Amino acid sequence: MADIPFHETLDLSLCGKLGRVHRICRQAVSVAVEPLGFTQPGWTAMMHMYHLGEGCTQHQLATSLDIEMPSLTRTLKQLEHAQVIERRVDEHDKRCRRLYFTAQGEQQLSALKARISEVKTHLYRGLSDEQLNMMALGLVALEDNANQFMEDQE
């Protein structure tokens, strides 16, 4: 009898385990940043906006977050009310809104990134850079394969 690969011995499928780990890690960050005044929708929107770059559109952010525009609009209104971001009308397309951090938002983003870095240090404890790099490469390949599969089904 052939040896069963470790990933096949997990209680959940590998993809199921990835989803569970993602939820737990997201919850860990949410707990860590709550004292800073961040909700899970707020901090995830801020981090995606940071990675997309200032001036990204609301549509780009919704796509990055994989959420519907009404859900994002609620979160953006909260961030705008808290003076973390501002929405500006695009110069070339008046229907489009671009997103920017305020000065206060930049400060909060800095605190958020520092706290998330602390959480990541804890989560990555006991894992070598080589292990983390291999995991990252595997996740990127898995995502690419899933996207290709979805495209092939259309």
Side-chain angles (χ1 to χ4, degrees), residues 58-117:
Q58 290 182 191
H59 184 266
Q60 288 171 318
L61 184 57
T63 300
S64 178
L65 289 164
D66 196 26
I67 62 173
E68 299 295 325
M69 194 62 81
S71 297
L72 177 61
T73 300
R74 274 191 303 277
T75 299
L76 294 178
K77 283 181 181 178
Q78 292 167 348
L79 291 172
E80 198 170 33
H81 181 71
Q83 299 178 342
V84 173
I85 65 158
E86 57 183 36
R87 295 185 278 183
R88 300 180 195 159
V89 175
D90 184 276
E91 296 175 4
H92 306 289
D93 183 352
K94 302 297 182 202
R95 299 168 297 171
C96 182
R97 301 284 183 267
R98 295 200 173 269
L99 306 171
Y100 298 88
F101 288 107
T102 63
Q104 179 178 321
E106 290 284 351
Q107 291 175 348
Q108 289 184 317
L109 177 64
S110 181
L112 177 62
K113 289 180 354 189
R115 189 66 180 121
I116 290 173
S117 179

Side-chain angles (χ1 to χ4, degrees), residues 27-38:
Q27 184 178 10
V29 172
S30 290
V31 167
V33 302
E34 186 178 23
L36 300 174
F38 296 110

Side-chain angles (χ1 to χ4, degrees), residues 4 10 14 18 39 44 52 65 73 91 107 110 127 153:
I4 298 173
L10 299 174
L14 180 59
L18 289 171
T39 62
T44 55
L52 289 169
L65 289 164
T73 300
E91 296 175 4
Q107 291 175 348
S110 181
L127 297 168
Q153 299 306 306

Side-chain angles (χ1 to χ4, degrees), residues 40-57:
Q40 188 262 318
W43 72 259
T44 55
M46 288 177 66
M47 291 306 295
H48 279 254
M49 188 175 144
Y50 167 72
H51 287 291
L52 289 169
E54 280 199 284
C56 67
T57 66

